[in-house]
Amino acid sequence: MTNREEAEIQISELDLLSSMFPYEEEFTVTDQLAVAELKHYVENESAEMPSSKVQFILNVKPEISNASMVEFSMACALPFKYPTVLPEITVRSSLLSRSQQICLNSDLKTYLMQNCSGEPCMLSAREWVKDHAAAYVDKELSSSSLTTSSAMHAEVITFTRLWIYSHHIYNKQKRKNIIDWAKELSLSGFCMPGKPGVVCVEGLQSNCEEFWSRVRRLTWKRILIRHREDVSLEGGGHAEIEKQRKFSTLEEKCFDAHGARGNHMDLGQLYRFLEEKGCADIFQMYFGVEGH
């Protein structure tokens, strides 16, 4: 199957999901820009491969007699080679302990490997979760109240780092928004204004996604997530999160601006800055060349 055929299947499946689950509380695409890039790739033979995976949330309410309002959230990402390769799915619920969540996700992956390899499988995955989740919750509820109590707090924490590319960042209000929003959401990183514009934010996954949701709603000539890093943290305490950070706060970085409008940065200095932070490999993802 060619890359474009795979992309066409992804678009068809997204259309099917949105028609079957029209309400946001059932189905939400978390990165509309990735979908737009995918559609552009399908419709234009000369288009480059998309830079971001399509990501979305499917919420499922299984039939559970003693916990009828329990909701399971399926955080889904479609790799570029899906459906040739399996989707990335993480099922979460406030009633699952860490061990139960691992068990459920492992069983789901086994089911998909055995039954859905090479075929679109999001509906099958959702049905499996709806049919089988009750067993995992019941196991948890049948254990001691102490275990159940701790399960309520055993959310898996994900640390995320987003590398955002913009055609340019000149506007002072946008630059202020980037810094203010990062501070509000406890995100660190940096913003390099000018042409091109580079923004990196890191912190809790939910906060990074909220930041991206706000930023992309502003008016841009072009903006996209060039690269994304996600790390699951066991325990997920404050110390674990801080240990993952490569930047202490979010600050604006200007590297010897030049050009007619003083808006072109010295990319050699950017590379050395990234190198100091242990992120030198990102330079090639942004600019397609090795840094020096």
Side-chain angles (χ1 to χ4, degrees), residues 246-265:
K246 293 183 184 288
F247 307 90
S248 54
T249 59
L250 189 136
E251 57 183 344
E252 193 166 274
K253 302 293 290 185
C254 297
F255 302 103
D256 284 355
H258 60 282
R261 293 174 59 180
N263 55 19
H264 290 267
M265 298 296 167

Side-chain angles (χ1 to χ4, degrees), residues 85-226:
V85 301
L86 290 175
E88 298 164 8
I89 303 175
T90 302
V91 184
R92 299 187 177 96
S93 169
S94 60
L95 282 182
L96 292 177
S97 69
R98 169 79 174 159
S99 59
Q100 287 293 343
Q101 181 174 306
I102 289 172
C103 185
L104 188 157
N105 281 293
S106 175
D107 290 351
L108 171 59
K109 188 169 185 179
T110 300
Y111 166 77
L112 293 176
M113 287 173 68
Q114 291 174 348
N115 296 280
C116 304
S117 191
E119 297 293 331
C121 61
M122 292 313 308
L123 284 178
S124 298
R126 187 184 182 281
E127 284 303 305
W128 188 93
V129 171
K130 187 170 184 178
D131 293 343
H132 293 84
Y136 296 87
V137 173
D138 288 343
K139 283 179 197 171
E140 197 60 35
L141 293 176
S142 66
S143 58
S144 72
S145 60
L146 177 66
T147 308
T148 303
S149 171
S150 65
M152 294 294 286
H153 302 286
E155 281 290 321
V156 175
I157 299 296
T158 302
F159 180 89
T160 293
R161 185 175 297 112
L162 299 180
W163 295 91
I164 299 167
Y165 170 92
S166 173
H167 179 270
H168 63 264
I169 304 175
Y170 299 143
N171 185 284
K172 287 182 180 176
Q173 185 57 49
K174 286 180 185 172
R175 289 157 65 176
K176 184 177 185 298
N177 286 342
I178 287 168
I179 291 169
D180 290 349
W181 290 340
K183 188 174 182 181
E184 176 195 336
L185 296 165
S186 302
L187 301 177
S188 48
F190 73 96
C191 169
M192 185 187 83
K195 183 181 179 182
V198 174
V199 180
C200 170
V201 289
E202 58 180 10
L204 285 176
Q205 184 180 65
S206 56
N207 291 356
C208 284
E209 287 176 352
E210 172 62 22
F211 177 87
W212 173 239
S213 173
R214 295 182 193 182
V215 165
R216 73 183 182 197
R217 286 195 200 111
L218 303 175
T219 304
W220 301 94
K221 181 169 182 179
R222 187 168 191 240
I223 192 166
L224 55 92
I225 296 174
R226 181 65 81 189

Side-chain angles (χ1 to χ4, degrees), residues 14 17-18 24 27-36 54-58 216:
L14 288 169
L17 290 170
S18 62
E24 277 197 11
F27 170 66
T28 309
V29 175
T30 52
D31 189 350
Q32 292 287 353
L33 193 68
V35 177
V54 170
Q55 301 188 55
F56 53 90
I57 305 289
L58 277 169
R216 73 183 182 197

